[in-house]
Amino acid sequence: MEKTLVILKPCTIQRGLIGEIISRFERKGLCLAGMKMTWLTDEILSEHYAHLKEKPFFQRIKDAMSVCPVIVCCWEGVDAIHVVRQLAGATNGRNAQPGTIRGDYSMSVQENIVHASDSPETAAIELKRFFNDDEIFNYKMNNLLALYAND
Ligand code: IDP
């Protein structure tokens, strides 16, 4: 089992899509291991988007991520990091495949509904960045056989 970080971005909160997006992950069969609402600071966003600090849109995405609180989630499942990235779709909502979250709900490269960790290394760092240890819950769903059989 892997755990991965998802952030429901301010555009998702503003557009009233919280339930819709959480449902997509639930219906896929992922297990919710942590969730909270938080207002991101410029400091944490500078760390989170450090890989983009030379980009002309760096300040713009940080501002967009702090117009209102976000919802941070930890989802768990077999290959959860890959599965969640696939569900999220391509960065630019206008290029993302229909059927993906961004493909179905976003018309923008910036306002693209969710953040999703892109590798096991990143997921571990990002979960620590946004959650305290006691905010991540280890429990088992009682539907694992129906979800995974003997994979
Ligand atoms: P990802 O979110 O698909 O992993 P990254 O390249 O890590 O993509 O970019 C982080 C976030 O920065 C994107 O989700 C998007 O909100 C924003 N972003 C990326 N490229 C652009 C751009 O060209 N213009 C404006 N915002 C962008």
Side-chain angles (χ1 to χ4, degrees), residues 9 48-49 51-52 55 57 60-61 65 85 88-92 102 108-118:
K9 296 187 177 189
H48 185 62
Y49 286 129
H51 62 294
L52 299 172
K55 300 282 187 189
F57 53 83
R60 217 173 337 125
I61 53 172
M65 287 294 284
R85 287 287 290 188
T91 304
N92 185 339
R102 288 163 169 174
S108 166
V109 62
Q110 179 178 292
E111 305 299 337
N112 59 4
I113 310 295
V114 288
H115 166 81
S117 303
D118 64 4

Side-chain angles (χ1 to χ4, degrees), residues 5-144:
L5 177 83
V6 169
I7 304 176
L8 305 192
K9 296 187 177 189
C11 57
T12 307
I13 315 308
Q14 298 286 342
R15 289 175 55 197
L17 291 172
I18 297 166
E20 293 262 341
I21 303 307
I22 288 173
S23 287
R24 305 280 286 233
F25 296 113
E26 270 195 305
R27 287 194 315 224
K28 177 68 173 169
L30 292 153
C31 170
L32 187 62
M35 179 162 73
K36 66 180 179 186
M37 183 172 245
T38 180
W39 205 316
L40 301 177
T41 61
D42 193 72
E43 188 184 0
I44 202 166
L45 286 165
S46 294
E47 191 181 299
H48 185 62
Y49 286 129
H51 62 294
L52 299 172
K53 66 175 182 295
E54 306 303 334
K55 300 282 187 189
F57 53 83
F58 181 55
Q59 190 58 48
R60 217 173 337 125
I61 53 172
K62 291 195 297 172
D63 291 345
M65 287 294 284
S66 53
V67 296
C68 72
V70 298
I71 293 175
V72 291
C73 310
C74 173
W75 290 101
E76 185 179 50
V78 173
D79 294 333
I81 297 157
H82 167 75
V83 166
V84 166
R85 287 287 290 188
Q86 293 284 109
L87 289 176
T91 304
N92 185 339
R94 295 192 298 278
N95 297 334
Q97 289 291 315
T100 65
I101 290 170
R102 288 163 169 174
D104 287 353
Y105 296 100
S106 168
M107 285 290 284
S108 166
V109 62
Q110 179 178 292
E111 305 299 337
N112 59 4
I113 310 295
V114 288
H115 166 81
S117 303
D118 64 4
S119 70
E121 297 71 31
T122 316
I125 292 167
E126 292 184 343
L127 285 168
K128 280 229 169 305
R129 180 174 298 141
F130 293 99
F131 285 102
N132 300 320
D133 287 349
D134 64 358
E135 293 171 326
I136 302 285
F137 297 89
N138 290 307
Y139 65 99
K140 283 222 177 331
M141 304 278 276
N142 62 12
N143 59 3
L144 293 181

